[in-house]
Amino acid sequence: DKFVKKIGVAPVVFDSTLVAKSEENISKHLEYLGYFESDVKSEIKVKKKQAYVKYLITLGKQYKIDEIRLNIPEGTFREAFYSDTTKMIVKKGSYLSENLLEEETVRSSAAMRNLGFYGFNKNYYFFEADTLQTPGLATLTLDINNYTRNESPSDAKPHRKYYINDVKISYPKSLKFRENIIKNLNLIVPGDVYSERKVNNTYNRLSSVRAFNSVNIEMTEIADTLVDCNISLTSSKLQGFKINGEA
């Protein structure tokens, strides 16, 4: 009836081609997790116009990382990078997987941005794994290039440490707020080494003030080693309350 049609869900028509696609997706996901050459098969049973699909999975090989080789550009970047290697989550004895490498690039690139390397991201990381030398073991090589995965060597630029040049804070004149309080909430100071953590902490501190409706922090590169910071604040609509009494 109409009620059932309104709250019910239409049945899914069985499509055998999607089963094969699902097998492929499962196999790719297992490889992403570090199980290489996994075997994925399916069984399909049809009973009273209903199809039942069962996936049979045999996990593939895993490779332990036996050695890690680092090729890092020389200069201040290399010094900063090596200072962070004790925090790497890719270690000797870890199982090789794209998932693990992805987590490390996200963590490591964020650490580099906190050490002053503005604009540095995970696309500068290049990995190569050799699993042929010793059965069950992998030699992992990490290269950090001066160009991203989407660029060519001709686009290479050295990784430089950036410093804060100028900090501007703008807000409506109608906002009745002591300027010293806003300055104390701001952690981005001219002359300091750029740090993404300080930018995020400043944003969180300013956002916690109810007088501000929105907070926008924009960093602009103005030279090879300098960035300007513009902080824009908008005021919130004032709210009030009234108490009425009756006797």
Side-chain angles (χ1 to χ4, degrees):
D1 57 19
K2 291 182 179 180
F3 176 75
V4 173
K5 288 181 179 179
K6 187 175 181 180
I7 67 168
V9 178
V12 178
V13 178
F14 176 69
D15 185 347
S16 59
T17 60
L18 294 180
V19 176
K21 184 66 176 177
S22 295
E23 289 181 13
E24 183 182 349
N25 289 342
I26 293 172
S27 181
K28 287 181 178 179
H29 186 65
L30 289 171
E31 185 169 327
Y32 176 77
L33 296 176
Y35 297 94
F36 298 92
E37 299 178 3
S38 298
D39 184 50
V40 182
K41 297 179 179 178
S42 60
E43 289 182 355
I44 302 172
K45 293 183 180 180
V46 180
K47 185 178 180 182
K48 294 183 179 180
K49 294 186 178 182
Q50 287 189 330
Y52 299 86
V53 184
K54 179 188 290 185
Y55 294 97
L56 307 173
I57 300 170
T58 303
L59 294 177
K61 299 177 183 178
Q62 282 187 295
Y63 295 91
K64 269 190 177 182
I65 299 173
D66 184 52
E67 182 183 357
I68 300 176
R69 300 172 182 173
L70 303 176
N71 296 321
I72 313 299
E74 295 182 358
T76 56
F77 181 84
R78 175 183 283 186
E79 296 174 6
F81 185 87
Y82 275 103
S83 70
D84 180 66
T85 52
T86 56
K87 300 176 184 177
M88 289 180 65
I89 60 176
V90 178
K91 301 177 181 179
K92 183 178 179 179
S94 302
Y95 282 105
L96 177 67
S97 74
E98 187 179 343
N99 179 47
L100 182 67
L101 301 183
E102 178 75 12
E103 289 182 6
E104 173 58 24
T105 57
V106 172
R107 186 210 66 80
S108 178
S109 60
M112 292 300 99
R113 291 193 297 274
N114 288 329
L115 292 174
F117 295 92
Y118 172 76
F120 185 78
N121 61 69
K122 64 179 184 179
N123 289 324
Y124 289 100
Y125 292 73
F126 294 78
F127 291 98
E128 184 177 331
D130 183 359
T131 59
L132 300 178
Q133 292 186 15
T134 308
L137 298 179
T139 299
L140 182 66
T141 301
L142 164 59
D143 292 287
I144 292 185
N145 291 333
N146 291 326
Y147 56 91
T148 68
R149 303 170 194 169
N150 303 320
E151 297 175 331
S152 63
S154 61
D155 300 312
K157 294 180 181 179
H159 300 299
R160 296 187 175 96
K161 184 174 286 190
Y162 283 77
Y163 295 82
I164 304 298
N165 179 57
D166 189 23
V167 179
K168 293 181 180 179
I169 303 175
S170 59
Y171 54 89
K173 294 181 180 179
S174 59
L175 183 61
K176 304 300 181 183
F177 212 88
R178 282 187 291 176
E179 190 172 341
N180 285 338
I181 295 178
I182 298 177
K183 289 182 177 180
N184 290 335
L185 291 173
N186 171 43
L187 302 174
I188 307 169
V189 180
D192 282 0
V193 174
Y194 169 82
S195 170
E196 188 176 75
R197 183 182 295 111
K198 286 186 178 181
V199 174
N200 293 334
N201 287 343
T202 297
Y203 176 85
N204 292 333
R205 285 158 68 101
L206 291 171
S207 297
S208 66
V209 179
R210 295 182 179 180
F212 305 141
N213 182 49
S214 67
V215 178
N216 182 54
I217 301 179
E218 183 179 358
M219 309 299 298
T220 305
E221 181 181 351
I222 62 166
D224 288 341
T225 59
L226 295 175
V227 288
D228 278 346
C229 174
N230 291 302
I231 302 175
S232 300
L233 308 172
T234 59
S235 58
S236 297
K237 293 181 179 180
L238 296 177
Q239 296 179 349
F241 65 93
K242 190 190 299 183
I243 299 177
N244 293 325
E246 292 184 4

